[in-house]
Amino acid sequence: MKNPEHVQRVISALRKEGTDKLQVISDFDMTLSRFGFNGRRCPTSHNILDNSRVISEEGRKKLKDLLQYYYPIEIDPNQTMEEKRPLMVEWWTKAHNLLLEQKILKSDIAKIVRESEVMLRDGANTFFDQLHQHNIPLFIFSAGVGDVLEEVLRQAEVFHPNINVVANYMDFDDKGVLRRFKEPLIHTYNKNNTVLEKTEHFQLLSSRTNIILLGDSLGDLSMADGVPNVENVLTVGFLNDKVDERRGKYRDAYDIVLEKDETLDVVNGILCYILGDLN
């Protein structure tokens, strides 16, 4: 924490004002899901598709090449978001076009997720259950694949009615074959009001002026931009990769930075305190 006093003030305000004014806004991949396990990388919702048996050998190689080219750009601390944005659009568009060529079936998605190595962070059940039990809205704002992400939550039995997801959703034809990705395209660095204009999500929650925001990228910090009349925001950043190079930027940007922490323990502890379940 760069400013522990500020963090303490915000958490006290969140507790004092109660659950009726609180909402949680979170990224999904590598924030609610794990970055790694036993020294191996865990897949994002895109990777779950990329690595699956429904993708041809050639398709898999091309998707991997894209990852190896664009991922270092995505996390490069020396490039600005403005510089990165057009390159992220390029990456997502190329990747989605490759996935379209694979003729993915809607009926295959559950099996693809089941066979993948995706894992939610330790403590995820407690996190989802606490929010559900206290009727606190959870808005998941993801640059991943919505259909896959929802299936991950469904199989983990945590896809509760208080959850709303905005992500890149697939559009299937009447035979259940993927034909396109729905607009707007969401990538790491446009998770803001520009892609939320068509959703009334935040307007419907106008009394929820206190926010806990969870992310793993500096682009995630704009996820709450569409919330009207914000009072208190606590931001928690998961710094998963290239920790030493990016520590300074993350500490400047997030209230709390969790380095190589594969759990939701800190977030759950804060929620527990705010909800009055802990003194």
Side-chain angles (χ1 to χ4, degrees), residues 55-174:
I55 307 293
S56 68
E57 203 58 53
E58 188 195 354
R60 207 172 297 162
K61 186 192 174 302
K62 286 179 178 171
L63 287 160
K64 199 172 180 182
D65 289 347
L66 290 176
L67 177 73
Q68 284 170 345
Y69 178 75
Y70 288 104
Y71 177 66
I73 297 170
E74 181 188 6
I75 65 166
D76 183 353
N78 303 312
Q79 288 193 50
T80 65
M81 287 198 212
E82 284 64 38
E83 290 170 313
K84 292 178 183 186
R85 263 187 207 111
L87 296 164
M88 294 302 103
V89 172
E90 211 172 88
W91 180 13
W92 260 249
T93 305
K94 286 177 181 175
H96 286 176
N97 287 340
L98 280 168
L99 290 172
L100 292 179
E101 290 171 12
Q102 305 296 314
K103 304 276 184 274
I104 294 166
L105 295 172
K106 187 175 187 172
S107 56
D108 277 341
I109 288 177
K111 193 165 195 284
I112 289 169
V113 170
R114 207 169 295 117
E115 290 173 351
S116 77
E117 294 182 352
V118 68
M119 295 173 78
L120 293 175
R121 285 188 189 270
D122 291 2
N125 282 47
T126 305
F127 170 76
F128 286 106
D129 292 347
Q130 278 193 99
L131 295 178
H132 180 223
Q133 280 156 15
H134 289 85
N135 295 316
I136 297 166
L138 169 59
F139 180 64
I140 297 176
F141 197 170
S142 173
V145 183
D147 312 73
V148 173
L149 183 167
E150 286 191 6
E151 188 56 36
V152 173
L153 295 177
R154 213 172 278 121
Q155 291 184 18
E157 298 181 2
V158 292
F159 197 15
H160 303 308
N162 63 313
I163 297 176
N164 200 309
V165 181
V166 166
N168 294 297
Y169 278 90
M170 298 167 146
D171 189 20
F172 298 93
D173 65 18
D174 47 15

Side-chain angles (χ1 to χ4, degrees), residues 203-236:
Q203 278 60 44
L204 296 173
L205 296 176
S206 55
S207 62
R208 304 273 180 173
T209 49
N210 290 334
I211 295 163
I212 297 175
L213 181 147
L214 313 175
D216 75 314
S217 141
L218 296 176
D220 289 331
L221 287 156
S222 61
M223 293 190 298
D225 286 1
V227 181
N229 313 316
V230 173
E231 287 182 73
N232 300 290
V233 183
L234 180 73
T235 59
V236 180

Side-chain angles (χ1 to χ4, degrees), residues 233-250:
V233 183
L234 180 73
T235 59
V236 180
F238 289 88
L239 179 46
N240 299 309
D241 199 10
K242 302 274 187 288
V243 171
D244 293 337
E245 292 106 298
R246 301 199 289 165
R247 179 179 290 122
K249 285 227 161 85
Y250 273 63

